[in-house]
Structure formats: structure tokens, C-alpha cells
Amino acid sequence: PKTAELKFSKHADSRLAERNISLSENQMQRLYDGTEKAKAKGIKESLVMVDDYAFIVNIKNNIVVTAMNREESNDTVITNIDGAVII
């Protein structure tokens, strides 16, 4: 699948592990699709929401920078993004 083109930074990997987040194949595909939509709009750093998970993705490099679940994202300010995709 094309989702193999989407990489996770060491930081994102550790966040997924410590927050006990595991994505289904469908969620991974939607994360990839959201990244492609952001790319098509010229977004460089995007918040991509998939179900109850929020991901910050460096679009140019196809790298997921960090991940959090909805509970943790409450009362969180996300900076340094220039677009968001909810998919």
C-alpha cells in the first residue's frame, strides 16, 4: 500500500507506544489520504485528525512528527501548522 510512503519520526513512534495508540490498516490509509489532501492544498505542516487521534505531519517529507489521542488533545495548543485535515 501507498501508506508505506508515510514515515513516523522516533518521537511519533515513542508517543504511539506510550499512549498505547495502534492504528488499523483503514486508519493508516486515512492518515495517508489526509496527508495527500494537505499536500494538494499546499500545506507544509498539517494537523490530521483520524477518529480520536490527532497527528502532526510534515507534509513535504511525509513524516508523522507526533501523535496524541483526543483526551490528551483537550486544552492543547498546536502551533507551527498551516492547515488541518479531518478525515
Side-chain angles (χ1 to χ4, degrees):
K2 286 192 169 220
T3 55
E5 296 171 20
L6 197 56
K7 299 177 198 78
F8 287 79
S9 69
K10 284 184 179 155
H11 177 79
D13 276 339
S14 67
R15 289 290 177 262
L16 289 169
E18 71 190 37
R19 293 169 174 159
N20 216 10
I21 298 171
S22 69
L23 298 174
S24 70
E25 205 171 298
N26 174 270
Q27 289 169 318
M28 275 298 298
Q29 185 61 52
R30 288 168 48 217
L31 177 56
Y32 177 81
D33 292 346
T35 302
E36 288 298 297
K37 287 179 187 226
K39 188 180 294 179
K41 292 288 185 184
I43 298 171
K44 294 174 181 63
E45 292 280 337
S46 183
L47 166 68
V48 180
M49 296 287 304
V50 177
D51 299 329
D52 285 339
Y53 304 119
F55 302 91
I56 303 299
V57 184
N58 177 295
I59 301 301
K60 180 180 160 200
N61 298 318
N62 274 357
I63 296 176
V64 177
V65 179
T66 194
M68 64 190 94
N69 60 36
R70 187 169 303 269
E71 294 84 53
E72 290 170 316
S73 64
N74 287 343
D75 207 32
T76 296
V77 176
I78 298 172
T79 59
N80 298 327
I81 63 168
D82 59 340
V85 178
I86 301 168
I87 192 160

